Amino acid sequence: DIQLTQSPSFQSASVGERVTITCRASQDITSNLAWYQQQPGKVPKLLIYAASTLQSGVPSRFTGSGSGTEFTLTISSLQPEDFASYYCQQLDSYPWTFGQGTKVDVK
Amino acid sequence: EVQLVESGGGLVQPGGSLRLSCAASGFTVSTNYMSWVRQAPGKGLEWVSVIYSGGGTYYADSVRGRFSISRHNSRNTLFLQMNSLRAEDTAVYYCARDSFLRGLARGMDVWGQGATVIVSS
């Protein structure tokens, strides 16, 4: 199975700050990676697929980049509703696997 | 409106069984890949199982041989039959649609609200 490792596991940040989360895959997954946001008590929401394509309706302050084994999710200017947990997911082969998550909380 | 609504969660004793249902509206379950994902209390997301549009299935190692995914086409509903339940199966279970474009997976774009399963004596 393909393993995904996210860093950091926790990130404290302030509104307006730039936040970057990294996801590393245990093998080459080309661009077959998605990012999800899960606000507290809510259902996960798809943010980005194919490593860098923004899902419809997602604000442009979210960007994804990378290919192969290293990927990043960047929030250019953190908004109050962005305090949440973020997960990467590989879509290269079943079984789908998720990273362990990154929780972004208030500094 | 595209929507998934789950039901069937509850409290069950170790070794027991439970069946989750996921009713879809606004799209057709049988023409999509559909997955179950779970989240243990305070933990991250864990993919559990998929049923392909062609009817094939695949399971995570942690549930293979105990869980069974299926669908009822005319009811446009997805199921997860869970047998030989263990304490470590305690989680919120989500059904989700696997989105594909030109044969490439594009993430899980529709999620149910989640069904809570508690395995405890």
Side-chain angles (χ1 to χ4, degrees):
Chain A
D1 299 357
I2 298 171
Q3 308 301 318
L4 296 178
T5 303
Q6 286 181 234
S7 60
S9 295
F10 297 93
Q11 171 92 57
S12 293
S14 301
V15 171
E17 271 191 48
R18 181 184 183 89
V19 171
T20 299
I21 299 168
T22 298
C23 178
R24 290 186 172 85
S26 60
Q27 63 189 69
D28 188 344
I29 58 171
T30 60
S31 296
N32 294 317
L33 189 99
W35 289 97
Y36 298 85
Q37 176 194 65
Q38 187 177 31
Q39 295 172 326
K42 298 288 186 66
V43 175
K45 172 186 173 183
L46 177 64
L47 295 177
I48 286 169
Y49 61 88
S52 60
T53 303
L54 213 58
Q55 174 73 349
S56 175
V58 174
S60 58
R61 63 180 180 273
F62 291 94
T63 58
S65 63
S67 66
T69 61
E70 187 151 339
F71 303 86
T72 59
L73 172 69
T74 300
I75 309 171
S76 61
S77 177
L78 198 67
Q79 298 302 300
E81 60 270 29
D82 300 338
F83 292 103
S85 293
Y86 295 85
Y87 297 90
C88 58
Q89 180 198 24
Q90 65 83 15
L91 302 166
D92 190 71
S93 60
Y94 286 106
W96 293 158
T97 47
F98 291 91
Q100 81 279 13
T102 296
K103 184 175 182 179
V104 178
D105 62 10
V106 179
K107 183 185 288 183
Chain B
E1 181 189 6
V2 172
Q3 195 175 5
L4 293 168
V5 177
E6 293 146 7
S7 59
L11 173 65
V12 60
Q13 292 189 338
S17 297
L18 208 58
R19 189 175 83 154
L20 302 181
S21 300
C22 171
S25 56
F27 73 98
T28 302
V29 164
S30 63
T31 61
N32 283 272
Y33 285 32
M34 298 293 298
S35 281
W36 287 95
V37 175
R38 67 184 180 182
Q39 187 169 35
K43 303 297 184 183
L45 302 173
E46 180 188 13
W47 178 86
V48 172
S49 181
V50 64
I51 184 165
Y52 307 135
S53 53
T57 59
Y58 198 92
Y59 299 92
D61 288 346
S62 58
V63 306
R64 186 175 293 119
R66 300 187 299 122
F67 289 13
S68 178
I69 189 172
S70 63
R71 67 190 182 209
H72 193 295
N73 293 348
S74 63
R75 291 166 58 185
N76 208 27
T77 299
L78 178 73
F79 301 101
L80 185 67
Q81 177 67 43
M82 302 182 292
N83 299 328
S84 302
L85 282 161
R86 307 166 179 166
E88 54 266 35
D89 296 319
T90 294
V92 175
Y93 285 74
Y94 298 101
C95 58
R97 182 176 75 177
D98 285 23
S99 172
F100 283 79
L101 184 62
R102 291 189 287 274
L104 294 177
R106 292 294 176 247
M108 298 176 174
D109 64 343
V110 183
W111 293 68
Q113 84 284 2
T116 299
V117 173
I118 300 172
V119 184
S120 175
S121 54

